[in-house]
Amino acid sequence: MRRLEGKSMIVTGAAQGIGEGIVRRLADEGASVVVADLNGTKAEEVASSLRAEGRQAIAVAVDVAEREQVQTMIAAAVTSFGKLDVMFNNAGFNKPVGFLDADEHNFNSIMRVNGLAVFIGIQEAAKQMITQGHGGKIINTASIAGRQGYPEFAPYCASKAAVISLTQAGARELGKHNITVNCFAPGVVRTPLWVGLEQDMIAKGVIKQMGEFMESFSAGILLGRVSDPSDLTGMTTFLASPDSDYMTGQCLVCDGGMVLI
Ligand SMILES: NC(=O)c1ccc[n+]([C@@H]2O[C@H](COP(=O)([O-])OP(=O)(O)OC[C@H]3O[C@@H](n4cnc5c(N)ncnc54)[C@H](O)[C@@H]3O)[C@@H](O)[C@H]2O)c1
């Protein structure tokens, strides 16, 4: 028997990048998964490719910052798989703007998805798990940018520090229901998010060609390379599995040795 057999799990932002890596590995380990994303078409592509491999998967189109849509997503998991055991609040984005130029729109739009939506996701998953009465696991995607501030994307750093704080607050509230809340902090991960960052940096004249920003940002990684989503999925599967049952309120850093705090 695979170790996540019989478990029902949602991963948001799962149509590509880190979320897709997480959800594919969970499904490989036997979990029934909801592939949730703003981009419903791409989410369905991931879910149908998993079904073609014999996995249990559905897709849900969702804006994670809209509470009613999050409730509908959770209801879809319960309708399809009978319950919700694990919720990954992974969806997020970045829009780098220089420290002195970042405005209210930049700050609020990033906080809405990376901060508020994680709060809503924790709350709504917890309500479902409390109703079920047998605990659960909530796992949020933070970042090394939640541990260290970078002036090129200050609002993103603030939003990821918020993820760590919400994880701790949620863990303190929900422990009595046997619901654990943890987060993980990737470093530099080769995903479509970075394509957008490089394009933004070229438009601002900060760099001249694609790849330059990632290269300069990653220069201090002790293991000498940036990561791929597959570098994270051992850790995320651990967090979703019974092996992590006695951990809560924690932030696991997986960055190849970049931020040593
Ligand atoms: N790539 C990195 O280097 C890196 C490093 C640290 C943390 N992270 C974090 O990891 C998570 C995933 O990042 P990624 O690199 O895979 O990014 P990505 O852009 O490749 O994928 C993010 C996915 O989230 C979805 N999404 C965005 N806003 C949404 C919303 N409002 N509702 C639902 N879905 C939404 C997008 O459609 C996309 O499919 C994010 O929280 C990001 O901040 C990424």
Side-chain angles (χ1 to χ4, degrees), residues 4 26 56 58 66 81 97 107-108 121 139 152 161 169 172 175-176 178 191 226 236-237 241 248-249:
L4 301 182
L26 296 175
Q56 298 278 327
I58 62 164
E66 296 297 326
F81 306 130
V97 177
F107 188 93
N108 290 334
I139 300 146
E152 300 88 353
R172 287 195 192 281
K176 58 181 172 282
N178 199 27
T191 69
V226 303
T236 53
T237 302
S241 80
T248 195

Side-chain angles (χ1 to χ4, degrees), residues 16 18 37-38 62-64 90 141-142 156 160 187 189 191-192 194:
Q16 64 180 33
I18 294 171
D37 203 282
L38 197 55
V62 63
D63 180 343
V64 289
N90 168 75
T141 304
Y156 180 81
K160 291 302 184 178
V189 195
T191 69
W194 273 91

